[in-house]
Amino acid sequence: SQRKAMEDLIRENYVYSLGMKGTAEVMYTLAAYTNDVNLTMGYFKAALLGVKRSGENATAVTLALARIFRDFNVNVQESTDTVNLLLGLWRVSGYSSFTQFIDTVDRLGYFFRQAGLSVEDTARIIASVGPVGTRLLRPFAKELTEISREWERGGTGVQEYGDKLEKFGVAVKDAHGNIRPFRDVLFDFIEVLSRIPDQQERVRVATEVFGESVGPALAQVASNWKTTGKVTEEESERMNKALGKSAEKHRDFLGWIRYYLDQFVIWLNDFFGDMGLIGESLLVGVFTKAAEYLAEGLKRLIPRVTGAIRRLLSDGFDELKGRLPEELSRRLIDTLSEGFDKAAG
């Protein structure tokens, strides 16, 4: 069934730092937002990547990414590359919060999309100006939209821009004499501006070509383009994988315990779901008690933790003794012992 497939996907992509509840929250948030099972499962790994690498609130990050996927028409196949790039650009943007960065991409994206720019283009521009320069971007994007529409119509307006751009080495026509897309011409010009060392000269050149309403903001974008322009999906993916390996290497003992306890909860929930014996509320009570004993045990040496678990079985499960099969008690000890052994090793 679809629900079973979603649960399996959550288990396969379990994140230690989030726990099972946090990992599942990404899936549930996507499901509520997209109302589409295929999109939910398709976007899950990409959204989870954003949550893991940013370390921020799972719901907030997932919602912001879901809006970007929708508004920029990012398909499932492109979603992971898009998130990798967004993470890479965020790290050089000056934004302290990944959520704030991608919220800005989505909010200003409405205007930049009208100018024919993609999510990558929009994110690069926002990363280039940083949080301080963001106030320049809405009027800038609106003006770009007008120029883009004029570009599509052709005529004397394009010719005037073309004469000015070619003066600075930016080709307006391709090898066949056709007008190049405005987006391509714009970013070629940003590259030219980025090579001008003096900011005042950069503003002067940008204003000479595109006027007072666009020039200063365009020069601001170009001032940091050497950094943001070099961020690629491939480099960002390598960085994110390196961060993942580092996190795995330094995963603490408590993370291992949390993981194996989560796995037992899943198994137990499946068992009782099939047998129809008890509900989720009882499970919550039982494992709250389990957490108390685990916390107590972890304050001591590792060998004594097992003793705390056994005490849990004698004290914490009193209310279940008449209903909890011996097999489940054994399964709990085996599952947690496996976690202790791996963590201690």
Side-chain angles (χ1 to χ4, degrees), residues 275-293:
M275 299 296 292
L277 295 177
I278 61 175
E280 183 179 353
S281 60
L282 187 54
L283 283 177
V284 171
V286 168
F287 282 95
T288 297
K289 187 70 173 177
E292 292 174 2
Y293 279 116

Side-chain angles (χ1 to χ4, degrees), residues 122-322:
T122 302
R124 284 190 195 282
I125 289 173
I126 291 170
S128 294
V129 302
V132 176
T134 302
R135 59 183 176 79
L136 300 170
L137 294 183
R138 181 171 294 186
F140 170 64
K142 290 181 177 179
E143 291 294 333
L144 285 185
T145 298
E146 292 302 317
I147 297 173
S148 176
R149 289 170 179 167
E150 186 177 358
W151 202 270
E152 291 178 1
R153 291 193 296 268
T156 57
V158 175
Q159 184 62 48
E160 290 176 3
Y161 284 123
D163 292 341
K164 296 175 182 178
L165 286 163
E166 288 178 356
K167 176 182 174 182
F168 295 102
V170 177
V172 173
K173 295 182 179 180
D174 62 21
H176 303 288
N178 301 314
I179 299 294
R180 297 174 64 210
F182 174 67
R183 181 262 176 208
D184 295 349
V185 173
L186 175 68
F187 283 98
D188 281 354
F189 185 54
I190 291 176
E191 288 283 354
V192 170
L193 292 174
S194 71
R195 293 194 289 268
I196 300 175
D198 182 68
Q199 179 65 8
Q200 289 186 337
E201 178 63 12
R202 195 180 290 129
V203 172
R204 187 195 68 77
V205 171
T207 302
E208 179 181 335
V209 175
F210 285 109
E212 292 285 348
S213 59
V214 172
L218 197 58
Q220 185 67 33
V221 171
S223 65
N224 199 36
W225 199 253
K226 288 183 179 179
T227 299
T228 57
K230 291 179 180 178
V231 176
T232 64
E233 294 171 359
E234 292 78 11
E235 289 175 352
S236 298
E237 182 179 8
R238 283 196 295 271
M239 173 65 76
N240 290 324
K241 286 182 177 179
L243 289 172
K245 289 179 180 177
S246 176
E248 184 175 354
K249 181 179 179 181
H250 294 92
R251 186 173 295 132
D252 60 14
F253 178 70
L254 195 56
W256 282 105
I257 300 304
R258 185 179 187 181
Y259 171 74
Y260 282 97
L261 191 57
D262 273 338
Q263 294 304 306
F264 183 76
V265 170
I266 293 170
W267 181 86
L268 193 61
N269 196 37
D270 286 346
F271 179 87
F272 283 124
D274 292 339
M275 299 296 292
L277 295 177
I278 61 175
E280 183 179 353
S281 60
L282 187 54
L283 283 177
V284 171
V286 168
F287 282 95
T288 297
K289 187 70 173 177
E292 292 174 2
Y293 279 116
L294 279 174
E296 179 183 344
L298 287 172
K299 292 178 183 177
R300 300 175 175 85
L301 296 175
I302 290 177
R304 297 190 63 181
V305 175
T306 302
I309 295 298
R310 294 186 182 280
R311 189 149 49 93
L312 158 68
L313 292 176
S314 62
D315 296 344
F317 284 153
D318 278 345
E319 59 187 301
L320 291 179
K321 278 185 177 178

